Amino acid sequence: ENYQYGSADFYDSLDTAIEYVANHGGWDNMYRNGYHPYLKEAFIITSGENEGYHFEFGLEYNGVEVEYTDGTILSADVYGSQITSYKRDILILPESDEETAEKSEWYAMAPIDVLTNNYEKICSIVSTGSFEEMTAAVRSIKFCCMRDSENDPLKIRPAWLIIMNDGHQLWFSAEDGKILYHQPAAEVN
């Protein structure tokens, strides 16, 4: 914290992060394997008297956003022209799996059917009593590719991600609507 970093604006810091990723893992292998990285989130960070930026990158696979149940796909902290933190946890499918994924079409159950078939389970998780209360507690529903870093970290699969107003995140199989993973709401102190 006693180190004094130079200062850089947002775009210079972003360029530094992009160049660092290019030199430490690269972008090309992502594109070659059907992934498309994008800037997902950026915000100002501080360390002592230094101010910098935290950049988080997301991925799309065959046009569908990839979500992890835990962790970050790719992130970098930049102070001036210095990278102080770099995390990379990218799953690249082998070519045989990639070819299979491109040739097959994903079947996705309608999100209302996922809610209807699982409403008792969802009600018990988010402590609501009726279907109407449960649906009113839904903040968003998103179709994505899911990587279950705890149970099956080497596979991505199509899923519905349902985020509740209280912060609970529920992943359901897009094919049959069964619950795959539940991340409780973060506790607020």
Side-chain angles (χ1 to χ4, degrees), residues 12-24:
D12 289 338
S13 297
L14 181 58
D15 284 343
T16 299
I18 290 170
E19 184 178 324
Y20 190 87
V21 172
N23 294 325
H24 297 88

Side-chain angles (χ1 to χ4, degrees), residues 17-138:
I18 290 170
E19 184 178 324
Y20 190 87
V21 172
N23 294 325
H24 297 88
W27 299 103
D28 292 342
N29 62 344
M30 289 184 248
Y31 286 111
R32 278 194 307 270
N33 287 285
Y35 289 96
H36 297 278
Y38 62 93
L39 181 62
K40 185 174 186 175
E41 184 175 28
F43 53 85
I44 295 173
I45 54 176
T46 58
S47 175
E49 294 180 16
N50 297 298
E51 191 172 275
Y53 293 92
H54 173 81
F55 297 103
E56 236 174 75
F57 295 89
L59 290 176
E60 287 186 353
Y61 180 70
N62 287 337
V64 179
E65 189 174 342
V66 177
E67 291 282 350
Y68 284 14
T69 57
D70 184 39
T72 301
I73 294 169
L74 180 65
S75 69
D77 291 348
V78 182
Y79 287 95
S81 61
Q82 181 71 41
I83 300 291
T84 60
S85 173
Y86 176 60
K87 295 179 184 172
R88 181 184 179 98
D89 185 13
I90 297 174
L91 172 68
I92 301 293
L93 297 175
E95 284 190 31
S96 60
D97 288 346
E98 180 187 329
E99 290 170 9
T100 303
E102 286 180 12
K103 292 177 185 171
S104 66
E105 291 184 23
W106 287 331
Y107 166 77
M109 184 178 211
I112 189 65
D113 293 334
V114 172
L115 289 172
T116 303
N117 293 345
N118 293 286
Y119 94 90
E120 289 176 348
K121 189 176 290 183
I122 297 170
C123 284
S124 69
I125 290 171
V126 297
S127 302
T128 57
S130 68
F131 182 78
E132 291 78 15
E133 289 173 351
M134 183 267 301
T135 56
V138 172

